[in-house]
Amino acid sequence: MSLARYILWRLAVMVPTLLLISALVFTIIELPPGDYFESYITELQAMGESADLAEIEQLRTKYHFDEPAVVRYFYWLGGMLHGDFGYSFEYRLPVSEVVGDRLWLTILVSFVTIVFTWLIAFPIGIYSATHQYSWGDYGLTLVGMIGISVPNFMLAVILMYFANQWFGVSIGHLMDQKFLGEPMSWEKFRSILSHIWIPVIIIGTAGTAAMIRRLRANLLDELHKQYVTTARAKGMAPGPLLRKYPLRMALNFFISDIGSILPSIISGAEVTAIVLSLETTGPMLINALQSQDMYLAGSFLMFLAFLTVIGMLVSDIALAFLDPRIRLGGEARK
Amino acid sequence: MSMPLPPPGAPLPHYVSDAPFDPDAAARQAEEASGVLTTSQWHMIWYKFRRHRLAVVSGVFLLLMYASILITEFLAPYNLHTRNVDAIYEPPQRIHLFHEGEFVGPFVYGRSMELNMETLRRVYTDAPGEVQPLRFFCHGDRYRFWGLIDADLHLVCPAEGGEMFLLGTDRLGRDQLSRILYGARISLTIGLFGVAVSFILGIVIGGLAGYHGGWIDMALTRITEVLQSIPSIPLWMAMAAIIPVTWNPIFVYLGITMILGLLDWTGLARAVRSKLFSLREEDYVTAAQVMGAKSGRIISRHLVPGFMSHLIASATLTVPGMILGETALSFLGLGLRPPITSWGILLTEARNVNVIAIFPWLLFPIVPVILVILAFNFLGDGLRDAADPYK
């Protein structure tokens, strides 16, 4: 199979996956009894105001709430295909306008986190594997274990506390507040860059620790293989040997591992965003879920799932570039 | 070397034992050795597991933690909801042994509280002369043990009329130490119940996929992949948001457990499936088939014991994820709701950075969370290494 055909095949597989995800997401946001309009009307009545029933009835018909859920699902799906994500009842705006640049900021945070994870995990993993059972290895393993065990939102809280105690600054947010809602500019970009490293460290810790452990295990497996012994016996220096063979094998795993760390990075990004009130999807998602703003919540869930699916696609394609066995076999090796 | 050969036809020189001939000796010898040779798989796993020191220590620690939730009422110095109106946001007290160079046994100094009129904050100071020795096996707050038996016996209580807040108190003057002990009940069991749910789902779904193969396998694998590609916490959040606000807290607890279990079986299902695939091809399975064993017998008698140890190891490694999930959900206000108290619920008190800056002891519930998760990870590592003792 040529590379182009492999990519096409991989794209085709993505379609049923996304369809399944969309069905699941729609089921979840449909499950709560009642809809937004009902809770809105009761809320208005509780405040002693009369609801504008005509307007609500109009919205109901417009968004097909008078039809069965299955029909509504297809309307929703069809709308998403040409960029119409529905209507946010709480903000009284189309979802795409409410979301603004939060989606891009989520992508930015996740992407920077992955790069950070790689940059940290790669050298440490190699060191741990080549110096197995040294003090450095033990120390790093312990630190890694702690990194896995401390949930990101608590790390965020702890960092907030120490930043406040030691530096007297409050961390949080992804940019200076004056840039909120402004179009992207050089100044705003710089402000984002100066804020982004704290959430990146918080989100990246667990993933980095997990990746170091897996990279170490993989590289150790590779180092114990006979070709390494043979090459050493023939007088090859350890450095070039490491670079030329086992490291390249480990690199494959490194890319395929995105698939397993990406969902957890995005999970962590959402929770951390809520704690640090970043201007990403997290805080808005939890609000939407709590107020049953179903199209908004659904779009966010869909978007997050889409992000992981795309991430896995990219990692599979990169892997196919690197490893001919995959494009020839037509099946990604996990 | 230099021994001359015997003449042709005569026997070669060889050793002959004088002992009387026993035709069953070989069989008897095998029987004697059988203690070693036929050590059961579980014994070998146990031997191998014991060598992983950290895992054993973690296992003991977790056993103690789980044992403690059986007698929480006795261990906790105060009740879960006991409010001490004179001790709101009181910082932790230290246990002392010596008072002015004299040994008194474990005691705490009494506290006096003043309201700082500028910051409107309560300031607690140790009263140096006020020695309040702790009492052991004493009568304190009345409680209903397991909700059944009336009792008031505690392991340790403050002195009569005194107070003892070793980890400080919260905004209602409730003792943090007691609340952490009670919170362990919820936080530790939710992981176990959640794993039980996902264990059953994982075995059934992974078993179906692995044993039948074909299109069932295709469909189930696809569903597993889809579930794995959705970030778990947002999905948990969405599911948890479905639980109606009006529900009884017990139902919320059950609901959260179900949600954690329902979405977390994918790893186990994949493990079961891949193990079944590899075990199906083993010679002993073919042998059993050739001898006419039905598939039910093959699964239960030959396949399940083969991967049970692996399953238990993977299940152990999924518990921390569940505990973390519950803590995160409760912390965000989507999980459990008071009066049910878990470590996540306790941490909601520490959600505001200004509160933490003034009352840092509200962060204490993080410590047991981290310790338990570390212990589960180490235990799972040890079990995974020991799961295949024949290596």
Side-chain angles (χ1 to χ4, degrees):
Chain A
M1 205 181 335
S2 70
L3 191 60
R5 275 191 62 191
Y6 174 76
I7 295 176
L8 274 183
W9 176 79
R10 203 49 199 71
L11 280 173
V13 172
M14 229 174 81
V15 174
T17 310
L18 285 175
L19 277 179
L20 265 176
I21 293 178
S22 71
L24 183 72
V25 166
F26 192 80
T27 318
I28 289 177
I29 56 180
E30 270 291 311
L31 271 181
D35 54 45
Y36 183 80
F37 299 113
E38 280 171 28
S39 47
Y40 180 66
I41 293 171
T42 40
E43 196 180 312
L44 280 186
Q45 279 166 348
M47 290 192 319
E49 291 173 37
S50 65
D52 185 355
L53 287 176
E55 190 201 329
I56 285 170
E57 205 48 50
Q58 203 185 340
L59 277 175
R60 265 194 124 104
T61 342
K62 188 174 172 204
Y63 290 96
H64 312 286
F65 273 88
D66 41 2
E67 283 172 77
V70 184
V71 180
R72 215 153 59 235
Y73 167 67
F74 284 107
Y75 277 116
W76 183 61
L77 195 66
M80 273 201 299
L81 287 182
H82 54 83
D84 170 18
F85 291 93
Y87 186 81
S88 162
F89 302 116
E90 206 185 356
Y91 293 83
R92 319 213 136 219
L93 280 172
V95 167
S96 46
E97 276 177 44
V98 176
V99 169
D101 49 7
R102 282 175 187 257
L103 296 189
W104 298 111
L105 289 173
T106 305
I107 294 179
L108 182 72
V109 171
S110 312
F111 181 75
V112 176
T113 307
I114 289 177
V115 173
F116 166 84
T117 309
W118 272 345
L119 288 182
I120 305 286
F122 200 58
I124 295 183
I126 292 172
Y127 174 85
S128 274
T130 47
H131 298 72
Q132 197 191 5
Y133 301 138
S134 67
W135 281 108
D137 180 31
Y138 278 126
L140 288 170
T141 308
L142 188 71
V143 171
M145 265 301 199
I146 294 173
I148 292 178
S149 304
V150 183
N152 352 42
F153 70 93
M154 287 192 202
L155 198 61
V157 173
I158 295 171
L159 270 187
M160 270 160 81
Y161 170 66
F162 282 117
N164 196 301
Q165 275 317 84
W166 292 344
F167 309 114
V169 292
S170 69
I171 55 176
H173 297 292
L174 207 51
M175 59 187 93
D176 286 335
Q177 293 307 296
K178 59 179 177 191
F179 294 114
L180 267 186
E182 285 204 5
M184 186 56 90
S185 64
W186 184 236
E187 293 291 302
K188 182 173 176 180
F189 186 66
R190 272 229 304 263
S191 170
I192 292 177
L193 276 194
S194 66
H195 280 80
I196 206 172
W197 61 276
I198 290 174
V200 162
I201 290 177
I202 293 170
I203 302 163
T205 312
T208 310
M211 193 171 231
I212 290 174
R213 283 184 64 196
R214 284 197 293 262
L215 181 66
R216 176 177 176 275
N218 254 36
L219 199 54
L220 274 178
D221 273 359
E222 227 29 72
L223 285 174
H224 287 158
K225 285 196 176 154
Q226 290 189 339
Y227 71 87
V228 178
T229 319
T230 314
R232 285 291 288 137
K234 285 187 164 185
M236 195 168 182
L241 168 63
L242 183 73
R243 278 198 297 278
K244 200 141 172 47
Y245 304 108
L247 214 54
R248 295 190 180 187
M249 298 296 294
L251 206 64
N252 269 355
F253 147 80
F254 217 60
I255 291 168
S256 69
D257 204 35
I258 297 186
S260 59
I261 62 167
L262 198 59
S264 66
I265 282 186
I266 290 179
S267 276
E270 292 301 292
V271 180
T272 312
I274 296 169
V275 177
L276 294 180
S277 51
L278 303 182
E279 284 75 19
T280 59
T281 47
M284 218 176 217
L285 171 67
I286 194 168
N287 275 339
L289 284 173
Q290 277 167 340
S291 63
Q292 260 194 52
D293 194 350
M294 56 168 288
Y295 281 126
L296 192 57
S299 308
F300 277 135
L301 286 178
M302 224 25 233
F303 165 74
L304 295 176
F306 189 66
L307 207 58
T308 39
V309 172
I310 290 286
M312 288 187 193
L313 176 76
V314 171
S315 94
D316 274 1
I317 290 176
L319 211 55
F321 263 114
L322 278 176
D323 193 343
R325 284 174 304 182
I326 289 164
R327 44 178 196 269
L328 294 177
E331 190 62 55
R333 204 165 52 100
K334 280 278 148 70
Chain B
M1 278 293 143
S2 57
M3 249 202 331
L5 281 172
L12 288 164
H14 61 282
Y15 169 75
V16 177
S17 168
D18 295 334
F21 175 63
D22 177 6
D24 298 329
R28 202 168 303 135
Q29 208 173 8
E31 216 163 88
E32 274 162 25
S34 70
V36 183
L37 289 180
T38 59
T39 305
S40 76
Q41 187 192 4
W42 294 105
H43 261 104
M44 291 181 64
I45 289 177
W46 172 238
Y47 284 132
K48 196 155 180 206
F49 175 72
R50 258 192 344 201
R51 292 221 306 267
H52 197 310
R53 283 291 154 78
L54 211 48
V56 177
V57 172
S58 305
V60 172
F61 170 73
L62 286 175
L63 273 183
L64 287 179
M65 290 291 278
Y66 276 96
S68 89
I69 66 177
L70 295 178
I71 48 165
T72 305
E73 287 95 342
F74 168 69
L75 292 176
Y78 291 90
N79 280 355
L80 177 57
H81 299 296
T82 307
R83 293 181 182 187
N84 303 281
V85 274
D86 302 330
I88 286 169
Y89 282 134
E90 182 166 335
Q93 285 172 306
R94 276 182 52 201
I95 296 186
H96 301 262
L97 288 175
F98 294 93
H99 177 62
E100 289 169 356
E102 235 175 277
F103 182 78
V104 226
F107 72 93
V108 293
Y109 285 114
R111 281 265 169 87
S112 60
M113 192 266 283
E114 259 174 65
L115 201 61
N116 182 333
M117 289 318 282
E118 266 170 50
T119 54
L120 286 181
R121 219 185 276 166
R122 292 178 173 77
V123 181
Y124 291 89
T125 36
D126 276 352
E130 216 178 301
V131 174
Q132 298 184 350
L134 304 183
R135 296 176 295 150
F136 292 92
F137 295 100
C138 44
H139 299 280
D141 283 354
R142 292 204 71 79
Y143 55 82
R144 287 181 78 81
F145 188 69
W146 286 46
L148 296 174
I149 310 156
D150 254 329
D152 62 354
L153 190 70
H154 292 263
L155 176 66
V156 51
C157 337
E160 296 278 359
E163 56 185 30
M164 180 190 69
F165 304 114
L166 300 182
L167 297 182
T169 62
D170 65 3
R171 76 195 142 81
L172 294 174
R174 292 173 295 193
D175 177 38
Q176 278 241 67
L177 175 65
S178 308
R179 287 175 66 75
I180 289 176
L181 285 170
Y182 276 100
R185 263 196 181 160
I186 302 296
S187 288
L188 291 179
T189 50
I190 213 161
L192 280 199
F193 288 136
V195 162
V197 172
S198 71
F199 201 76
I200 294 167
L201 279 172
I203 288 185
V204 170
I205 294 174
L208 274 179
Y211 196 76
H212 286 289
W215 67 268
I216 297 183
D217 176 41
M218 281 265 283
L220 290 175
T221 313
R222 203 101 286 255
I223 293 175
T224 317
E225 273 172 14
V226 166
L227 272 182
Q228 264 180 337
S229 72
I230 307 181
S232 58
I233 290 190
L235 197 56
W236 277 336
M237 277 161 53
M239 299 278 281
I242 296 173
I243 298 180
V245 192
T246 47
W247 271 20
N248 177 325
I250 299 289
F251 282 116
V252 176
Y253 172 79
L254 291 178
I256 296 285
T257 318
M258 288 302 286
I259 289 171
L260 294 177
L262 273 179
L263 298 179
D264 212 36
W265 50 266
T266 50
L268 277 171
R270 275 175 73 140
V272 173
R273 175 178 167 274
S274 65
K275 269 284 147 197
L276 267 181
F277 265 130
S278 64
L279 285 179
R280 232 169 38 162
E281 311 300 324
E282 290 282 338
D283 285 343
Y284 64 81
V285 175
T286 320
Q289 271 167 350
V290 169
M291 282 189 247
K294 299 245 164 45
S295 53
R297 182 176 165 84
I298 292 179
I299 292 180
S300 64
R301 193 86 191 111
H302 300 288
L303 295 181
V304 170
F307 63 73
M308 207 34 150
S309 53
H310 292 268
L311 268 195
I312 292 174
S314 345
T316 314
L317 286 170
T318 56
V319 179
M322 301 223 169
I323 294 179
L324 276 188
E326 183 276 318
T327 315
L329 284 181
S330 302
F331 181 75
L332 296 176
L334 284 172
L336 304 172
R337 304 184 189 120
I340 284 208
T341 307
S342 73
W343 291 334
I345 293 279
L346 292 180
L347 281 170
T348 52
E349 302 270 334
R351 200 149 46 163
N352 186 332
V353 72
N354 299 322
V355 175
I356 311 168
I358 311 171
F359 316 115
W361 57 90
L362 290 178
L363 281 176
F364 267 124
I366 287 187
V367 177
V369 174
I370 293 176
L371 285 182
V372 163
I373 289 166
L374 262 182
F376 265 114
N377 276 327
F378 283 132
L379 179 70
D381 265 6
L383 286 176
R384 193 174 47 192
D385 289 348
D388 196 352
Y390 302 107
K391 256 191 202 156

